[in-house]
Amino acid sequence: MGNLFRSEEMTLCQLFLQSEAAYACVSELGELGLVQFRDLNPDVNAFQRKFVNEVRRCDEMERKLRYLEKEIKKDGIPMLDTGENPEAPQPREMIDLEATFEKLENELREVNQNAEALKRNFLELTELKHILRKTQVFFDEAEYGCYPTYYSSSQMADPSREEEQVTLLGEEGLRAGGQALKLGFVAGVILRERIPAFERMLWRACRGNVFLRQAEIETPLEDPSSGDNVFKSVFIIFFQGDQLKTRVKKICEGFRATLYPCPEAPADRREMAMGVMTRLEDLNTVLGQTQDHRHRVLVAAAKNIKNWFVKVRKIKAIYHTLNLFNLDVTQKCLIAECWVPVLDLETIQLALRRGTERSGSSVPPILNRMESFEDPPTYNRTNKFTYGFQVLIDAYGVATYREVNPAPYTIITFPFLFAIMFGDLGHGLLMALFAGWMVLREKPLAAKKSDSEIWNIFFGGRYVILLMGLFSMYTGFVYNDIFSKSLNIFGSYWTVNYNKSTVVTNKDLQLNPSTDDYYQHPYPIGLDPVWQVAENKIIFMNAYKMKISIIVGVFHMLFGVCLSLWNYMYFRKRISIFCEFIPQMIFLCFLFLYMVILMFIKWTCYGPKTDDVKTSPYCAPSILITFINMVLFNENSAPEVCDQYMYSGQRPFQMLLVVIALLCIPWMLFAKPMLTIRNQRRMHVLLNSNHQNHAVGSENGDAEAALAQGQIPPPLPPHKEEEELPIGEILIHQGIHTIEYVLGSVSHTASYLRLWALSLAHAQLSEVLWNMVLRNGLMFEGWVGGIALWITFAIWSTLTVAILVLMEGLSAFLHTLRLHWVEFQSKFYQGMGYDFQPFSFEAILDSAAQAPEE
Amino acid sequence: MKICGPKLSLCGLIISVWGIFQLVLMGIFYYVKSIALSEDLPGVESEGGFESPEDFYKIADRGYIQNAYNCWIAACLYIFTLVISGHQFYVNSRSSMNM
């Protein structure tokens, strides 16, 4: 069982796997998700690795599956996600899977091709049907002679069929006499958009000697290849002579108009039309059957497709991992190097044994621990509750290996600092309810796998938000603020002792706490509700909130400095304890903790109900001015009747504190470099002297052994030896740290005042929203007020959620995060580690599920 | 049948529930004449001054009772809104499930 105090202890292990057992063992390790493999072939090309063929096959399978998925989605068939997690299939099963997918893909492609051919046929027949219908119209119109003639010559049809003869050109043409020139025509269909250009081209190319008529097809036709519906028109072109015919045909080809053979005689046309109708019906039936078949195939595939995806991805992951391994000399064994948490070695051994048994191999795998000087990855074992807070810390920087983890403290300080800024019972309740709903409905909401990033962020941080809401409810209760109104639970501890005439004649009156106006004992918990209706509420709260912010800030920073002590003790940096921790503590405590103590003294020693003016509020000194005077070694100035200082001996005591604190600065600057340099010189001297002593006939090994047994302390546990830095660098390094700390302590302390500032802003925003929005619904004299309130409440609640909960919540969240990352963690955190990314099927499947859906 | 989409009906549902809770409570607080709500009374701020304290108390009391009833009326209107939003939400979720 690990803990969150530090990151887990990791060890580098060497894994020897027999080639037959390798696949099954890696599969077991993938299910476990506790091992991070290292790439032992970093300079090998991806195409030269051992298992590149298998990976290629997996890619092929995935491609086929994706094609299937696309087709299934196109038809709108729901894909069943049972949520089961099938194990990675054996290598021999891969061939079966490949065959299944191949068959499915081929079948689907064939069906699609057939469908396309059928649709093309269908389109042609439909167009032909339209042509036959429309040209009928043209010929009918000709009978009634409703358009002018273009030619002086006449009929085009066979003279023997006179009764049905349609003189396209009207009676005048016939009467005009002349030879009976035979007019040819072509009929076809063209996209509606192309008609104007088509007409122009015909006119120009044929010099006006052709005649075009066109009619639109009302219903759009489906283009077989692209599937969209396009509007087309029927046209018929009349010309005379063969040359024009070729020209017209070429132009039609150019404009991609499809030409259809259209018989001249109406009887023929009617016959053709009927033939076309029957063929269309047949085609429809066949198309329907094709679609049904396709649908059946897809439905059958849809049942298993999620399962198949998981299996293929797992196989691919296993082969990718196997590619990272090395083949040993005998070619029978695969060697892997991996980072493993020490506490999980047993579990991993069990998994390996299971894998070997499954593959039927006789040789057990060997797991060897290796010593390494590298920095292991940082692994923090979290559960669903602590995960959110760990993510917040890791976003700034992953902790150095075995460094103290700030996450467990963040679980409480983060919501608490947030709540100081957000303190409102109503808004906190809204936040807590929302987070509570997310927490209670965790499982169904997690299974939904949404794409929306904002939702994922909210859902991932549901426990953080829940705690923030609950803490905000507490601070809202203490600030006595619910949607900018106060709760009167214990009654007010202030009374009005003025007589009636004073009250009636004065607009504003003051209640004096040093008289009976105030009950002289504190309100049980929280703020007296009367302050909500007081004009000077803000001034009163300012004093309180600013001091609280500084107090919380100083204690937060002190805690951070104490954490650095634990780090130094663990990593055995005794020099740092003496040269960094102690002067840092002294500096912080003697200046800022002293300021906090002054605040407490001011709160306890000065009060309104007192006989002595020296302890009345008139004489209460400003902490800030006192502090500034202290640092500048100035005298405190106070009004005539008051004491200059809060307690006797304050001035010399303060001077002592400041002097010692200032002495800490050179201590921090020079002590560590001096000690480090002295240590280095000593080691150099020892090395040299030992070399001289054993100079004749000794190997280096002996000298080092003698050295090791000598004065040098045993090497630190997992760490490499300290590099020897040049003197200049050590001094600069230390200088930067000191300046950062000293200047930072002032700036960070002041930075905590944002707790006051945001809390003030939130309270004021809340009040403004009530006064400007909801009050309008409450100021109606009559019964109309009910309806007005109904409307204004909706507006007010929407604005409350949008501005106060979401916007202010986000703002307070960011400020709290900044306080943690900068003011708190700069006191102890290094954050130079890298994250532990184990080989885990769960992680791979999750990321694969997210990626293609984007 | 379907007047609004799923999101609007969900919003209406939440606001209605919240409105019923908060307006009923506010009505109760107005009825017991809580001081916290003393700045939100009709007829009090508008007048320049009052002839006597009794006059002020009379107007204030009337304002309190009026607002209490108004809050409860608004709460009833929100019950009505809740029913409509709930019905819309149900219709929307059923049509999306049928799909």
Side-chain angles (χ1 to χ4, degrees), chain A residues 28 70 75 174 178 209 294 328 383 449 489 503 554 560 603 616 715 729 797 831 853:
Chain A
E28 287 288 332
K70 200 174 68 151
D75 267 19
L174 272 173
N209 288 333
R294 187 186 126 100
D328 86 327
N383 56 23
K449 285 202 187 38
I489 303 180
V503 174
V554 168
W603 273 339
S616 71
E729 264 198 53
S797 62
E853 281 165 29

Side-chain angles (χ1 to χ4, degrees), chain A residues 503-514:
Chain A
V503 174
V504 168
T505 48
N506 284 313
K507 186 170 184 295
D508 297 301
L509 286 169
Q510 264 192 355
L511 298 176
N512 194 345
S514 56

Side-chain angles (χ1 to χ4, degrees), chain A residues 181-282:
Chain A
L181 284 171
K182 206 157 187 294
L183 272 182
F185 69 96
V186 289
V189 169
I190 190 176
L191 280 174
R192 219 182 265 182
E193 299 95 54
R194 297 199 180 142
I195 289 224
F198 186 50
E199 257 185 299
R200 254 202 310 273
M201 181 60 104
L202 277 175
W203 185 260
R204 283 198 203 128
C206 309
R207 297 201 192 103
N209 288 333
V210 296
F211 171 50
L212 168 82
R213 279 226 73 198
Q214 49 112 341
E216 293 176 349
I217 303 180
E218 299 85 16
T219 51
L221 301 166
E222 190 191 339
D223 182 32
S225 42
S226 63
D228 4 300
N229 291 340
V230 289
F231 284 101
K232 293 196 175 175
S233 299
V234 166
F235 66 88
I236 184 166
I237 305 178
F238 295 98
F239 47 79
Q240 192 180 30
D242 279 328
Q243 269 193 351
L244 280 176
K245 181 174 182 178
T246 29
R247 226 177 271 180
V248 162
K249 279 218 168 114
K250 279 222 180 79
I251 295 175
C252 287
E253 228 173 289
F255 276 84
R256 283 197 229 295
T258 26
L259 296 172
Y260 293 97
C262 184
E264 294 179 21
D268 285 345
R269 278 203 301 277
R270 273 199 288 274
E271 228 179 274
M272 197 178 210
M274 281 193 301
V276 164
M277 293 305 286
T278 15
R279 277 166 67 195
L280 270 176
E281 273 166 30
D282 286 340

